[in-house]
Amino acid sequence: MKAIRLLALLLFLFGAVTASAAELSNIEQLGKHLFFDTDLSVNRSQSCSDCHAPEAGFTGPDSLVNAGGAVYQGALPNHFGNRKPPTSAYAGDSPVLKLVDGAWVGGMFWDGRATGDRLGDPLAEQAQGPFLNPLEQAIPNARVLCSQIKQGAYAGLFQEVWGAGSLDCAKDAGGVYVKVARSIAAFERSPEVNPHTSKFDRFWDTARAHGKDVSKISCGSGPQGCGGMGRDPNRWSTFKGYGLSDEELQGLAAFNDPNRGNCASCHRLKPGPQGYPLFTDFGYDNLGIPKNPDNPFYSMPTAWNPDGYDWVDYGLGGFLKSAGYPLEVYETEMGKFKCPTLRNVDLRPSADVVKAYGHNGYFKSLESIVFFYHWRGAMDSGCMGGGMGVGGMGGGMGCDGMAGMFPPPEVDRNLASMNMFPRPLVDSIVAFLKTLSDGYPQQ
Ligand code: HEC
Ligand code: HEC
């Protein structure tokens, strides 16, 4: 009796929770089924969400994996890809990969190889990758995938969305595969995956309601790294009272200010189609991130990785080369990776879960990657803080003891140049990045 009452209570709670979540359209709901269905893998053990878990901001949720190689095993044992899963949320506005004023923009994956040329939508094109990738869900072909879906509980929903008879695996497995991809992309673009419910988003709304443009926030002058004084109408101190703490505001200002972190020159603060910033320009850069020595791909059999530990990830340049572009096109792109959104960078299942950062997961905390930017900026400027008018670093402290702080870049060319910013701003920027997690209580 007790058990029945408990069950009834649980059912009620479950109903209440699902009812309060954003309503999904039929195609989004279908995409959600496909995204979470472990039956859609060779031994029914893996779904997209194993590597893109909502509670980890739609990236890898496994602390041990993240703390080491940061690459997730596919459905088959000892089958590893070569990169860290980026978030699959907030990715839907990346355009088809193309050259814009001499720089590559758009596409999907760290190297842009899901260009979007084939389906006119990089997100849908990406969604076709994992199911048949032998190092991921490893299903032999589209026909097997189709029959698996046909046996699934949502086969009816599929035909509701795509028409009666649309699940014809014998005649049209390829067409079904495209519909699968478009359904997943619809889910990935839904409000459930892109809710804009972070502390930052509430601040953005409140500041806007007071006539303030957050995309213009700057440090202002003053004695410290981000002084907030002076006459600049957009200095951070003029944004007080709209929901962010002083430290978070200084971090945001340093993030945006071209004379400090200058992060927003790539991780854009300009609002996207939904009216909120996406924290990316969908462009490609080489930050000079070192190799991750624990990457399991180094010890994959030669059939997958003939180069062993000497394997180098050339990112976009490597893709363009393999796609047949001439040397003068790919050479300048060697070592560049797609600039990721920073939404949910800190979101994790619990505080003790490690998250990895960068295309190979070399960094194990936000502090360490932001410190790396600080270090890169210091190296680029010869550690001469005073000369750059940024203040705080002291006039010309020299590079003593700093030069060897990080191993050499994986690809030591086409490096993006970095601004120097004072050490204390590393902590402020990290505090700001932590405001980008969805699920902040909404009033
Ligand atoms: C075994 C782990 C794994 C599985 C399973 C997996 N992914 Fe991924 N995903 C990755 C990795 C790793 C990358 C980056 C690969 C690269 O750039 O070469 C990635 C990249 C992506 C991206 C690109 C994001 C961007 O901004 O470029 C999206 C979107 C995505 N995955 C969605 C999916 C979907 C949808 C599925 C299921 C059909 C799926 N993933 C299954 C590991 C996985
Ligand atoms: C020149 C463009 C550029 C600038 C400037 C820049 N970034 Fe990045 N950022 C990138 C690219 C590209 C990557 C991915 C690089 C890689 O993995 O090799 C990245 C990765 C990151 C990541 C890891 C995200 C993840 O999911 O793995 C964080 C965090 C980050 N940047 C924060 C910052 C901060 C903070 C600043 C300013 C101090 C900054 N970025 C400045 C382009 C830039």
Side-chain angles (χ1 to χ4, degrees):
M1 191 61 203
K2 233 179 172 176
I4 291 175
R5 246 192 267 145
L6 188 66
L7 189 69
L9 178 71
L10 282 175
L11 281 174
F12 169 76
L13 285 176
F14 182 69
V17 168
T18 42
S20 69
E23 286 285 327
L24 293 177
S25 69
N26 276 355
I27 187 171
E28 292 165 352
Q29 186 61 49
L30 173 61
K32 183 174 180 177
H33 283 301
L34 293 161
F35 192 90
F36 287 97
D37 188 353
T38 48
D39 282 349
L40 303 183
S41 61
V42 67
N43 45 15
R44 307 190 173 215
S45 62
Q46 186 168 62
S47 76
C48 310
S49 71
D50 284 11
C51 303
H52 302 282
E55 67 274 18
F58 288 92
T59 174
D62 188 316
S63 195
L64 272 178
V65 172
N66 297 346
V71 172
Y72 281 70
Q73 184 171 271
L76 294 169
N78 296 318
H79 280 55
F80 291 94
N82 47 21
R83 296 182 182 135
K84 182 205 80 163
T87 177
S88 57
Y90 295 104
D93 294 314
S94 184
V96 172
L97 183 73
K98 58 178 179 293
L99 270 173
V100 179
D101 301 329
W104 291 92
V105 177
M108 214 52 70
F109 285 127
W110 288 107
D111 59 6
R113 72 185 183 284
T115 60
D117 279 331
R118 200 162 39 85
L119 297 182
D121 176 6
L123 194 59
E125 220 170 278
Q126 187 290 325
Q128 290 199 321
F131 290 123
L132 306 190
N133 182 340
L135 300 180
E136 293 183 325
Q137 282 148 289
I139 289 180
N141 56 51
R143 203 158 154 178
V144 175
L145 177 72
C146 181
S147 20
Q148 192 58 52
I149 293 170
K150 209 164 180 170
Q151 292 161 35
Y154 49 89
L157 179 60
F158 192 102
Q159 307 202 52
E160 234 174 88
V161 171
W162 292 105
S166 57
L167 260 176
D168 188 338
C169 304
K171 283 214 200 93
D172 191 28
V176 170
Y177 199 26
V178 172
K179 294 178 172 93
V180 164
R182 294 207 192 280
S183 309
I184 293 178
F187 169 62
E188 288 174 328
R189 288 195 173 97
S190 71
E192 183 174 319
V193 179
N194 313 266
H196 300 98
T197 52
S198 68
K199 186 177 188 185
F200 171 84
D201 293 311
R202 295 296 68 80
F203 160 77
W204 174 273
D205 288 340
T206 312
R208 255 178 65 123
H210 288 84
K212 298 287 286 180
D213 182 352
V214 177
S215 72
K216 297 209 166 80
I217 192 168
S218 71
C219 274
S221 60
Q224 272 133 38
C226 200
M229 324 248 274
R231 256 183 271 170
D232 184 339
N234 292 305
R235 61 196 188 279
W236 70 261
S237 47
T238 67
F239 288 80
K240 274 154 112 44
Y242 302 148
L244 292 191
S245 72
D246 285 6
E247 167 124 68
E248 291 160 350
L249 275 178
Q250 289 176 59
L252 169 59
F255 183 91
N256 196 39
D257 197 317
N259 295 315
R260 302 294 196 285
N262 196 28
C263 318
S265 63
C266 303
H267 301 285
R268 288 275 163 80
L269 264 181
K270 291 257 169 341
Q274 304 296 318
Y276 296 94
L278 289 162
F279 299 97
T280 174
D281 58 359
F282 301 113
Y284 291 80
D285 312 277
N286 181 6
L287 302 182
I289 294 181
K291 280 188 167 195
N292 179 355
D294 299 327
N295 189 338
F297 189 69
Y298 291 128
S299 37
M300 281 287 286
T302 45
W304 304 106
N305 175 19
D307 299 332
Y309 190 75
D310 293 333
W311 175 73
V312 172
D313 194 343
Y314 288 108
L316 174 65
F319 160 64
L320 293 173
K321 185 177 178 185
S322 71
Y325 284 91
L327 179 87
E328 61 270 25
V329 174
Y330 68 72
E331 179 49 38
T332 50
E333 311 305 323
M334 288 303 212
K336 294 188 183 175
F337 293 89
K338 195 167 91 182
C339 177
T341 178
L342 298 179
R343 287 186 168 274
N344 293 320
V345 264
D346 188 54
L347 188 64
R348 55 192 91 216
S350 63
D352 56 346
V353 168
V354 174
K355 280 187 91 173
Y357 299 105
H359 67 274
N360 59 18
Y362 175 84
F363 298 102
K364 306 304 180 190
S365 68
L366 284 175
E367 287 75 9
S368 64
I369 187 169
V370 180
F371 180 80
F372 174 76
Y373 277 109
H374 161 75
W375 175 79
R376 276 286 326 275
M379 290 295 115
D380 275 6
S381 67
C383 309
M384 303 293 283
M388 287 180 62
V390 293
M393 197 75 191
M397 59 172 271
C399 289
D400 288 357
M402 281 190 92
M405 275 180 143
F406 289 93
E410 176 158 13
V411 179
D412 201 359
R413 53 196 205 265
N414 306 317
L415 286 174
S417 65
M418 291 293 158
N419 261 15
M420 178 140 94
F421 54 97
R423 173 68 183 85
L425 289 183
V426 170
D427 301 333
S428 313
I429 290 174
V430 169
F432 154 64
L433 292 175
K434 291 183 176 180
T435 69
L436 297 178
S437 300
D438 284 322
Y440 189 73
Q442 312 285 301
Q443 47 306 63

